Amino acid sequence: GAGVSQTPSNKVTEKGKYVELRCDPISGHTALYWYRQSLGQGPEFLIYFQGTGAADDSGLPNDRFFAVRPEGSVSTLKIQRTERGDSAVYLCASSPLGPTDTQYFGPGTRLTVL
Amino acid sequence: AQSVTQLGSHVSVSEGALVLLRCNYSSSVPPYLFWYVQYPNQGLQLLLKYTSAATLVKGINGFEAEFKKSETSFHLTKPSAHMRDAAEYFCALERGSQGNLIFGKGTKLSVKP
C-alpha cells in the first residue's frame, strides 16, 4: 500500500517568507507526528496529532510554527516569517493508533531559507 | 530527562565483518527503544523495536539488538556486513505517553569492499 508522502520534496524560500509543508499519512492512521532534522543531527520532535487535535505541540520552537490536521488525515506544517535557521529536513510520520505503535516515516521535505 | 546517546558518528567496516553500532539511553521509566535506518534520499525505516518483551530483538536485514538494563544500552549488531548496509542508523527512545521519539544523532555506517 501507499506509504507516507510529503510535498514538496524540496522548497527554497527567502528569509521572511511564509511556507506550507504537506503530509499525507498512511490511510487509516490516526496518529501523525512532525519532526525536524538539521544537518548532522537526529530528528527532533515538533508536534503530535491524535485525530484532528494536537495532543502534544511541546516541540514547536516558537509561535512562527503552526500545524493543522482539520479532517484527521492530511496535515500541513506552516512556518511564518522564515529564518535561515529554519533550514532543515522536515519529516512526517504516522502510526495506526499512537504510542507504542511503529511510526512510518515519509521521505521528508528539504527546506532551504536563503 | 530522557535522552539517547550514540557513540561514534561514523563507523567503517569491511564487507563480511561484524557490525556493532552503540546506543545508550537515559530514562526514568521502562523504555521503548527503536533502531531506524536512513538510506540516502529516503525516509527513515524501522529496523527493530524493543517493547519490554524479549531482551534480544531481531529485526530486518539480519540486524538484532540486545536490551541491557544494567548497562542502559541497546546496541545494534549484524554478524556479517553487506555493501547494501551502508546507511545512517538512528537509535530512538519513545518519550512518555504520547509516543513521540527522542533520537540520537545517528551513526553513519560505511562498508568497504
Side-chain angles (χ1 to χ4, degrees):
Chain A
V4 177
S5 63
Q6 293 185 246
T7 53
S9 55
N10 279 284
K11 176 70 177 178
V12 180
T13 191
E14 293 179 344
K15 181 175 177 294
K17 298 290 189 182
Y18 168 83
V19 296
E20 290 189 351
L21 311 180
R22 176 188 167 107
C23 172
D24 265 285
I26 293 172
S27 178
H29 282 194
T30 62
L32 186 146
Y33 302 82
W34 282 99
Y35 295 85
R36 178 169 71 174
Q37 186 175 15
S38 300
L39 195 62
Q41 303 294 318
E44 293 178 306
F45 167 74
L46 294 176
I47 187 169
Y48 157 55
F49 285 92
Q50 183 57 252
T52 61
D56 183 355
D57 64 358
S58 62
L60 295 177
N62 51 59
D63 61 7
R64 294 187 298 105
F65 287 76
F66 189 70
V68 295
R69 195 185 184 199
E71 297 178 355
S73 56
V74 171
S75 176
T76 304
L77 178 65
K78 308 181 181 194
I79 310 175
Q80 297 177 321
R81 305 183 304 281
T82 52
E83 299 178 356
R84 291 193 180 88
D86 299 335
S87 297
V89 176
Y90 290 81
L91 298 169
C92 176
S94 70
S95 72
L97 294 174
T100 78
D101 276 342
T102 296
Q103 294 183 27
Y104 297 87
F105 282 80
T109 293
R110 182 175 298 277
L111 175 66
T112 303
V113 182
L114 301 177
Chain B
Q2 294 174 296
S3 66
V4 173
T5 303
Q6 289 185 242
L7 301 174
S9 59
H10 193 186
V11 169
S12 182
V13 302
S14 298
E15 193 172 19
L18 171 73
V19 176
L20 171 60
L21 304 182
R22 300 177 188 273
C23 173
N24 288 89
Y25 70 90
S26 173
S27 177
S28 58
V29 298
Y32 282 15
L33 293 160
F34 305 79
W35 275 100
Y36 280 85
V37 61
Q38 188 173 38
Y39 298 101
N41 300 315
Q42 295 187 28
L44 290 159
Q45 179 182 5
L46 181 70
L47 276 178
L48 49 82
K49 66 179 179 181
Y50 167 76
T51 57
S52 75
T55 56
L56 182 61
V57 182
K58 294 189 182 298
I60 61 172
N61 302 338
F63 284 93
E64 63 182 35
E66 186 171 9
F67 173 73
K68 292 187 177 180
K69 183 178 179 180
S70 61
E71 298 177 8
T72 61
S73 69
F74 190 57
H75 301 332
L76 182 71
T77 60
K78 182 173 180 177
S80 177
H82 291 273
M83 297 295 293
R84 62 177 176 265
D85 296 327
E88 190 152 22
Y89 293 79
F90 293 93
C91 182
L93 169 68
E94 186 171 283
R95 187 185 80 160
S97 60
Q98 301 288 21
N100 46 294
L101 300 173
I102 300 171
F103 285 86
K105 291 188 175 183
T107 298
K108 188 171 184 179
L109 176 66
S110 299
V111 182
K112 298 175 291 187

